[in-house]
Amino acid sequence: MLLAVSLLLKGLAIPLLARIAWLDFTTQKISNQNVLLLLCLGLGSLQLLSVQAGSWWDMGLSGLAGLLLFVALLPFWALRKVGAGDVKLMAVVPLLIGGSGLLVFSVLLLVFALATALIVKNPFMLPAGAFRLYVQHLDRKGVVPFGVPISLAAICTIVFQVYSNLTVLSGFSA
């Protein structure tokens, strides 16, 4: 029962992450309210899983990863290389996906971040003229919406976790 509620909380984070990605793409802003909601969903999910497992290891690992990401990315914010919203989002995502999802998230983030950088640097690869102009405008400003690859990687990680757990719950091995 606790696992099902935990999966529900993670599932509720998916539309919120999609909203964060869209708003970051269109406005280059990630609101504190959305990050705080993600934090609440993540902590609730992790707490339920920790109670069920009888171990707080995953929650501790997630908290440590979030803290390390925040501290590591803070100098990049001070140098104006990333936005404050990106730093906060990256610090909260480990608490949302849990320590067991960090490797999958890291690989997906690398892929999505490289794809985002490639598209921003080579807008001619895109089909629509208006979209191309918008991305070129972002490139001239030197702004890359890193909330998009962060959110996409988190969504894919959550979908993978939910699918894996649902197959286990239903009696099939993944």
Side-chain angles (χ1 to χ4, degrees):
M1 178 65 177
L2 293 178
L3 178 60
V5 175
S6 174
L7 293 177
L8 175 64
L9 291 175
K10 286 187 180 203
L12 290 173
I14 292 173
L16 182 56
L17 285 163
R19 175 182 163 82
I20 289 170
W22 176 252
L23 289 174
D24 190 38
F25 182 74
T26 57
T27 66
Q28 290 76 51
K29 301 271 187 230
I30 299 173
S31 76
N32 290 338
Q33 179 184 14
N34 289 335
V35 174
L36 186 59
L37 285 171
L38 278 180
L39 177 64
C40 292
L41 290 170
L43 286 175
S45 174
L46 275 176
Q47 188 171 11
L48 290 171
L49 290 175
S50 296
V51 167
Q52 181 179 4
S55 169
W56 297 92
W57 169 252
D58 202 39
M59 192 172 216
L61 180 62
S62 300
L64 182 62
L67 179 63
L68 287 174
L69 283 169
F70 183 78
V71 170
L73 291 174
L74 206 54
F76 292 98
W77 169 77
L79 295 171
R80 305 264 186 235
K81 300 297 180 189
V82 296
D86 299 323
V87 174
K88 291 179 277 190
L89 182 61
M90 277 296 294
V92 166
V93 167
L95 294 165
L96 180 65
I97 61 173
S100 61
L102 289 175
L103 181 61
V104 172
F105 171 75
S106 299
V107 171
L108 289 170
L109 179 60
L110 177 64
V111 170
F112 288 132
L114 289 173
T116 301
L118 182 68
I119 288 171
V120 168
K121 295 296 179 188
N122 300 303
F124 59 86
M125 295 171 50
L126 301 170
F131 188 68
R132 203 173 306 137
L133 290 174
Y134 182 70
V135 173
Q136 287 172 346
H137 172 69
L138 285 177
D139 189 38
R140 275 197 306 274
K141 286 176 45 181
V143 174
V144 177
F146 284 119
V148 175
I150 296 167
S151 295
L152 288 175
I155 289 170
C156 291
T157 303
I158 290 169
V159 167
F160 175 75
Q161 290 174 330
V162 169
Y163 175 76
S164 297
N165 284 314
L166 286 178
T167 56
V168 169
L169 285 176
S170 65
F172 298 110
S173 61

Coordinates of all heavy atoms in Angstrom, one line a residue, residues 78-110:
A78 N 26.8 31.9 -9.5 CA 27.4 33.1 -9.2 C 28.2 33.7 -10.4 O 28.3 34.9 -10.6 CB 28.4 32.9 -8.0
L79 N 28.6 32.8 -11.3 CA 29.3 33.2 -12.5 C 28.3 33.4 -13.7 O 28.7 33.7 -14.8 CB 30.3 32.1 -12.9 CG 31.5 31.9 -12.0 CD1 32.3 30.7 -12.4 CD2 32.4 33.2 -12.0
R80 N 27.0 33.3 -13.4 CA 26.0 33.5 -14.4 C 26.0 32.5 -15.5 O 25.6 32.8 -16.6 CB 26.0 35.0 -14.9 CG 26.0 36.0 -13.9 CD 24.6 36.5 -13.7 NE 24.6 37.7 -12.8 CZ 23.9 37.7 -11.8 NH1 23.1 36.8 -11.5 NH2 23.9 38.8 -11.0
K81 N 26.4 31.3 -15.2 CA 26.4 30.2 -16.2 C 25.2 29.4 -16.2 O 24.8 28.9 -17.2 CB 27.6 29.3 -16.0 CG 29.0 30.0 -16.1 CD 29.2 30.5 -17.5 CE 30.6 31.2 -17.6 NZ 30.7 31.9 -18.8
V82 N 24.5 29.4 -15.1 CA 23.2 28.7 -14.9 C 22.3 29.6 -14.1 O 22.8 30.5 -13.3 CB 23.3 27.3 -14.3 CG1 24.0 26.3 -15.1 CG2 23.9 27.4 -12.9
G83 N 21.0 29.4 -14.2 CA 20.1 30.3 -13.4 C 19.9 29.7 -12.0 O 20.1 28.5 -11.8
A84 N 19.4 30.5 -11.1 CA 19.1 30.0 -9.7 C 18.0 28.9 -9.7 O 18.1 28.0 -8.9 CB 18.6 31.2 -8.9
G85 N 17.0 29.0 -10.6 CA 16.0 28.0 -10.7 C 16.6 26.7 -11.1 O 16.1 25.6 -10.6
D86 N 17.5 26.7 -12.0 CA 18.2 25.4 -12.4 C 18.9 24.8 -11.3 O 18.9 23.6 -11.1 CB 19.2 25.7 -13.6 CG 18.5 26.3 -14.8 OD1 17.4 25.8 -15.1 OD2 19.1 27.1 -15.5
V87 N 19.6 25.6 -10.5 CA 20.3 25.1 -9.3 C 19.4 24.5 -8.3 O 19.6 23.4 -7.8 CB 21.2 26.2 -8.6 CG1 21.8 25.7 -7.4 CG2 22.2 26.7 -9.6
K88 N 18.3 25.2 -8.0 CA 17.3 24.7 -7.1 C 16.6 23.4 -7.6 O 16.4 22.4 -6.8 CB 16.3 25.7 -6.7 CG 16.8 26.9 -5.9 CD 15.8 27.9 -5.7 CE 15.7 28.9 -6.9 NZ 14.9 30.0 -6.6
L89 N 16.3 23.4 -8.9 CA 15.7 22.2 -9.5 C 16.6 21.0 -9.4 O 16.2 19.9 -9.0 CB 15.3 22.5 -10.9 CG 14.5 21.4 -11.6 CD1 13.2 21.0 -11.0 CD2 14.3 21.8 -13.1
M90 N 17.9 21.2 -9.7 CA 18.8 20.1 -9.6 C 19.0 19.6 -8.2 O 19.2 18.4 -8.0 CB 20.2 20.5 -10.2 CG 20.3 20.4 -11.7 SD 20.1 18.8 -12.3 CE 21.6 18.0 -11.7
A91 N 18.9 20.5 -7.2 CA 19.1 20.1 -5.8 C 17.9 19.3 -5.3 O 18.0 18.4 -4.5 CB 19.3 21.3 -4.9
V92 N 16.7 19.5 -5.9 CA 15.5 18.8 -5.5 C 15.2 17.5 -6.2 O 14.7 16.6 -5.6 CB 14.2 19.8 -5.7 CG1 12.9 19.1 -5.6 CG2 14.3 20.9 -4.7
V93 N 15.7 17.4 -7.4 CA 15.4 16.2 -8.2 C 15.9 14.9 -7.5 O 15.2 13.9 -7.5 CB 16.0 16.3 -9.6 CG1 16.0 15.0 -10.4 CG2 15.1 17.3 -10.4
P94 N 17.1 14.8 -6.9 CA 17.5 13.6 -6.2 C 16.5 13.2 -5.1 O 16.3 12.0 -4.9 CB 18.8 13.9 -5.6 CG 19.4 15.0 -6.5 CD 18.2 15.8 -6.9
L95 N 15.9 14.2 -4.5 CA 14.9 13.9 -3.4 C 13.6 13.4 -4.1 O 12.8 12.7 -3.4 CB 14.6 15.1 -2.6 CG 15.8 15.5 -1.7 CD1 15.6 16.9 -1.2 CD2 16.1 14.5 -0.6
L96 N 13.3 13.7 -5.3 CA 12.1 13.3 -6.0 C 12.3 11.8 -6.6 O 11.4 11.0 -6.5 CB 11.8 14.2 -7.2 CG 10.6 13.9 -8.0 CD1 9.3 14.0 -7.2 CD2 10.5 14.9 -9.2
I97 N 13.5 11.6 -7.1 CA 13.7 10.2 -7.8 C 14.3 9.2 -6.8 O 14.2 8.0 -7.1 CB 14.6 10.4 -9.0 CG1 15.9 10.9 -8.7 CG2 13.8 11.2 -10.1 CD1 16.9 10.9 -9.9
G98 N 14.9 9.6 -5.7 CA 15.5 8.7 -4.8 C 16.9 8.3 -5.2 O 17.3 8.5 -6.4
G99 N 17.6 7.8 -4.3 CA 19.0 7.4 -4.5 C 19.2 6.3 -5.5 O 20.1 6.3 -6.3
S100 N 18.2 5.5 -5.6 CA 18.2 4.3 -6.6 C 18.1 4.8 -8.0 O 18.4 4.1 -8.9 CB 17.2 3.3 -6.2 OG 15.9 3.9 -6.3
G101 N 17.5 6.0 -8.2 CA 17.3 6.5 -9.6 C 18.4 7.4 -10.0 O 18.3 7.9 -11.2
L102 N 19.4 7.7 -9.2 CA 20.4 8.7 -9.6 C 21.2 8.3 -10.8 O 21.5 9.2 -11.6 CB 21.3 9.0 -8.4 CG 20.7 9.7 -7.2 CD1 21.6 9.9 -6.1 CD2 20.2 11.1 -7.7
L103 N 21.5 7.1 -11.0 CA 22.3 6.7 -12.1 C 21.5 6.8 -13.4 O 22.0 7.4 -14.4 CB 22.8 5.3 -12.0 CG 23.7 4.7 -13.1 CD1 25.0 5.6 -13.3 CD2 24.1 3.3 -12.9
V104 N 20.3 6.4 -13.4 CA 19.5 6.5 -14.6 C 19.2 8.0 -14.9 O 19.4 8.4 -16.1 CB 18.1 5.8 -14.4 CG1 17.1 6.0 -15.5 CG2 18.3 4.3 -14.2
F105 N 19.0 8.8 -13.9 CA 18.7 10.2 -14.1 C 20.0 10.9 -14.7 O 19.9 11.7 -15.6 CB 18.4 10.9 -12.8 CG 18.3 12.4 -12.9 CD1 17.3 13.0 -13.5 CD2 19.3 13.1 -12.3 CE1 17.2 14.4 -13.6 CE2 19.3 14.5 -12.4 CZ 18.3 15.1 -13.1
S106 N 21.2 10.5 -14.2 CA 22.4 11.1 -14.6 C 22.7 10.9 -16.1 O 23.0 11.8 -16.8 CB 23.6 10.6 -13.8 OG 23.4 11.0 -12.4
V107 N 22.4 9.6 -16.5 CA 22.7 9.3 -17.9 C 21.7 10.0 -18.8 O 22.0 10.6 -19.8 CB 22.6 7.7 -18.1 CG1 22.6 7.4 -19.6 CG2 23.7 7.0 -17.4
L108 N 20.4 10.0 -18.4 CA 19.4 10.7 -19.2 C 19.6 12.2 -19.2 O 19.4 12.8 -20.3 CB 18.0 10.4 -18.6 CG 17.5 9.0 -18.8 CD1 16.2 8.8 -18.0 CD2 17.2 8.7 -20.3
L109 N 20.1 12.8 -18.1 CA 20.3 14.2 -18.1 C 21.5 14.5 -19.1 O 21.4 15.5 -19.8 CB 20.7 14.6 -16.7 CG 21.0 16.1 -16.5 CD1 19.9 17.0 -16.9 CD2 21.5 16.4 -15.1
L110 N 22.5 13.7 -19.1 CA 23.6 13.9 -20.0 C 23.1 13.9 -21.5 O 23.4 14.8 -22.2 CB 24.7 12.9 -19.8 CG 25.9 13.0 -20.8 CD1 26.6 14.3 -20.5 CD2 26.8 11.8 -20.6

